[in-house]
Amino acid sequence: MRKGRMLLALGVLLAAGAADARGTSSLSGAARCRLPPGWDQVAARGARFVVFGEMHGTQQSPRFFGDVACALAARGERLLVAVEHFSTVNGDFQKAWALPDADFVPALTKAGWAGRDDGVGSEAMLAMLVRLHRLARAGYRIDIVAFSGVRDEAQQRRFASLAGQGPHDAAQAENIREAAVRRPYDHVLILVGNAHARKSPVTYTPVPFEPMAMQLGKSESVVSLNMKSAAGTIWNCGLKPDVVRKPGVPITNADIACGAHPATADADLKPTPFIALGGLPGQQPDPDYDGVYWLGPISASPPAVPDRSPPRNP
């Protein structure tokens, strides 16, 4: 049953992607993906790198991000789309990106998607990549890079002196930077967890560190936007309600539950998505980001490829 559900879901994604490609395969049809209100504020900054810091596991954030990429590509821009999948499988992502439509999903989803319950490997993320791949196959100038984490031993040694999560985020920034110099991209669009999207140090962890966007901004022009939404649901993982953390006792997989969980509202605004530099209307700007992107109500997006491992004993 699990395999059948996965194949059905992938079939639906492919069908949706085909419909989208038919609607956006020419500039005249690309009006279906318009830039959101407020993008002109980002464009006025002249930043080549635009970071979308999300809470993983929603349907709306990858869709919003995909709309921005689609609309910019329809304008004739050359884009690099950077997604928070493991840098160690970037080679597989590149091979999949070069494949025909029919072969894309089977090839892509073999590269580190199975069992990703953290929202990064969601159905919405896959649908976005299917959509952008179809546009690329239709002639839009869209490339992709999987940038998350250390890609090899040499990179690990280079950042070994950094404390805490510093090596991970330094590798993210370097992987994006190196991918961005391979072609004259008009924009590099980065979809990443919002902790990595901060432009100031992360100090709420046991060991403070400099996040990806902060490190990237030392040598590149960067605009970083933090996701904001109305209430809804989000797919994420957390401690089971009956689990009590004890000092010195490690958390195990059996202590974690992943699924659709309630999400509280950041504000009570109209549902139409938009971008705003600074803060939401009536709220103070967050100094860790340049601005926000508003999604309206959100809904959870489950994993695109379920865990293939045998069930664990409770």
Side-chain angles (χ1 to χ4, degrees):
M1 290 297 292
R2 175 173 288 180
K3 181 178 180 181
R5 287 197 302 271
M6 181 183 75
L7 292 176
L8 176 62
L10 294 184
V12 170
L13 286 169
L14 285 171
D20 185 77
R22 287 194 297 270
T24 58
S25 59
S26 67
L27 291 180
S28 61
R32 291 183 57 190
C33 52
R34 295 186 177 91
L35 287 168
W39 173 260
D40 56 333
Q41 299 177 33
V42 176
R45 287 282 187 95
R48 185 165 172 249
F49 294 77
V50 184
V51 183
F52 294 78
E54 70 166 359
M55 294 293 290
H56 300 311
T58 73
Q59 296 181 26
Q60 287 71 25
S61 181
R63 186 184 305 152
F64 183 96
F65 182 86
D67 282 344
V68 173
C70 172
L72 291 176
R75 288 183 168 189
E77 289 200 12
R78 181 183 290 277
L79 301 178
L80 177 63
V81 170
V83 292
E84 197 183 348
H85 279 254
F86 302 127
S87 61
T88 51
V89 299
N90 183 53
D92 296 319
F93 270 55
Q94 301 308 315
K95 292 175 183 176
W97 202 250
L99 292 174
D101 294 340
D103 300 323
F104 175 65
V105 169
L108 185 75
T109 53
K110 290 179 181 177
W113 288 70
R116 289 213 67 167
D117 279 331
D118 56 2
V120 173
S122 69
E123 290 179 353
M125 174 70 79
L126 181 57
M128 179 198 74
L129 293 178
V130 168
R131 176 189 188 188
L132 296 183
H133 174 259
R134 287 186 175 274
L135 292 175
R137 296 293 296 176
Y140 287 61
R141 297 185 298 171
I142 305 172
D143 295 325
I144 190 173
V145 62
F147 66 84
S148 186
V150 173
R151 65 174 182 261
D152 54 33
E153 291 184 2
Q155 194 177 51
Q156 187 172 25
R157 289 194 298 270
R158 190 156 56 252
F159 298 128
S161 63
L162 299 178
Q165 196 174 301
H168 179 89
D169 279 61
Q172 286 189 333
E174 183 174 85
N175 294 337
I176 294 168
R177 191 183 303 112
E178 290 182 355
V181 300
R182 292 173 187 153
R183 288 186 176 177
Y185 294 110
D186 297 295
H187 280 103
V188 179
L189 304 180
I190 305 165
L191 184 60
V192 69
N194 62 3
H196 308 291
R198 291 164 55 106
K199 298 182 77 174
S200 59
V202 172
T203 57
Y204 54 78
T205 55
V207 180
F209 67 95
E210 294 185 350
M212 178 274 293
M214 181 181 179
Q215 301 203 41
L216 186 62
K218 293 177 179 179
S219 59
E220 309 290 350
S221 57
V222 175
V223 167
S224 183
L225 305 171
N226 190 21
M227 173 182 137
K228 296 292 182 179
S229 71
T233 58
I234 189 167
W235 185 280
N236 56 24
C237 300
L239 288 177
K240 293 178 179 178
D242 59 344
V243 173
V244 178
R245 300 197 67 168
K246 300 177 181 178
V249 178
I251 298 298
T252 68
N253 287 341
D255 299 325
I256 302 295
C258 299
H261 297 119
T264 58
D266 293 304
D268 182 15
L269 300 174
K270 61 182 181 180
T272 304
F274 64 86
I275 290 172
L277 295 186
L280 289 174
Q283 296 185 7
Q284 291 296 316
D286 186 337
D288 295 325
Y289 306 91
D290 296 301
V292 299
Y293 66 106
W294 170 259
L295 298 177
I298 56 174
S299 48
S301 183
V305 183
D307 192 353
R308 298 190 183 99
S309 61
R312 292 185 292 264
N313 292 326

